[in-house]
Amino acid sequence: MRQTWRWFGPRDLASVEDMLQCGVEGVVTALHHVPTGAVWTPEEIAARQALIARKADGSPSGLAWEVVESLPVSEDIKKQKGDWRAHLANWKTSLHHLAAAGIPVVCYNFMPVLDWTRTDLAWRRPSGATCMRFDLPDFAAFDIHILARPGAAEDYPEPLQNLAAQRFAAMDDAARAALARNVVFGLPGAAESFTLEDVRRHLAEYDRISAERLRANLVDFLAEVAPVAESLGLRLCCHPDDPPFPLLGLPRVMSTLADYRAVLEAVDVPANGVTFCTGSFGARPDNDLPAMMAALADRVHFVHLRNVTLEGSDLRNSFYEAMHLEGGTDMVAVIAAILAEERRRRAAGRADADIPFRPDHGQDILDDLRRKGQPGYPTIGRMRGLAELRGIMTALSHPMVQGG
């Protein structure tokens, strides 16, 4: 397993030296400043590679940009409306430029309107650490009373409607504004951010797009881009929905094993693959993560390792982001399945035997609490997570364990 780290470029509070001191082997980044739908030019790609390749004193870092996260898929492509054909052509051109730069893995997602969705970006834990949280009653309060989406109340059972009304009534204007900001926080590091009116406009445009239609649009997209990636030696990997259940009346089509199987079978080329995110999949109680990893292993091109604690057994739940070895996911079993797949790939002579992973998210601890970095991406919290995950990898790879 290749140890990588998500880096947001010059604006990131973590430096190249910080990554080196954490034991990172490769870097995951994106051109967050380039507008969605535009071409990633060779010059912009090279400029980001140059930043990663050098330490502050100008000496070589030994690090390289190894995974793109993410090359954004525009809302027009997802809806097949507006400028979607031009955006699709630009996406393909960007793939050519990334391949020419030697960056082999491209992560993307097909979540409509919002990327990951949380109601609290700094929820205080008993230890004093903070983490991101999705509180279902608070989200319902946002949906029904702040966004005031038509028909929103019908998406929630009556007890949850009542609790949402109580939560909303107890909030002052500042609390309501903070909740709205958290929910529409948007794509990590992205240049664009949404207002409530932007969200309402996008929701209206999805009004006639069912889950079946959105999945068909995803398949159409992949039918165009996956053969291009295959010809260029690139690996595409779709990130699951986060959280993996419907929100705001929007369809979700990449939440379960069945979802991924349908899309992988529809566009059956090796380049069409999976970003296996244990945090996203783990936020749904009917997802068996070790079994999913084993079932999808041949097409897993990138892995996010993080953990969540669910607060119920329903399909839609409140949850918070736990420490990497806490929460509901059996991280040892998941990593064992990844290492088993790597052994199979080596035996088959595959060039992609070392699967890149990164410690995803993490709780803000120690100096993170003063640094106020990108929500979900604390330096020390992720360093702790990487160290814990590295310990599991080392133990499971030990000859005594292999021999046993």
Side-chain angles (χ1 to χ4, degrees), residues 248-307:
L248 302 177
L250 293 166
R252 300 288 234 188
V253 298
M254 297 302 276
S255 297
T256 66
L257 176 58
D259 289 337
Y260 272 86
R261 278 180 165 159
V263 171
L264 296 178
E265 291 169 4
V267 184
D268 191 11
V269 297
N272 179 24
V274 180
T275 297
F276 195 87
C277 178
T278 58
S280 297
F281 286 136
R284 182 168 168 142
D286 59 346
N287 280 338
D288 180 339
L289 272 65
M292 290 176 71
M293 178 62 214
L296 297 170
D298 185 58
R299 294 286 189 87
V300 171
H301 298 324
F302 185 33
V303 175
H304 292 175
L305 295 179
R306 63 180 172 89
N307 224 320

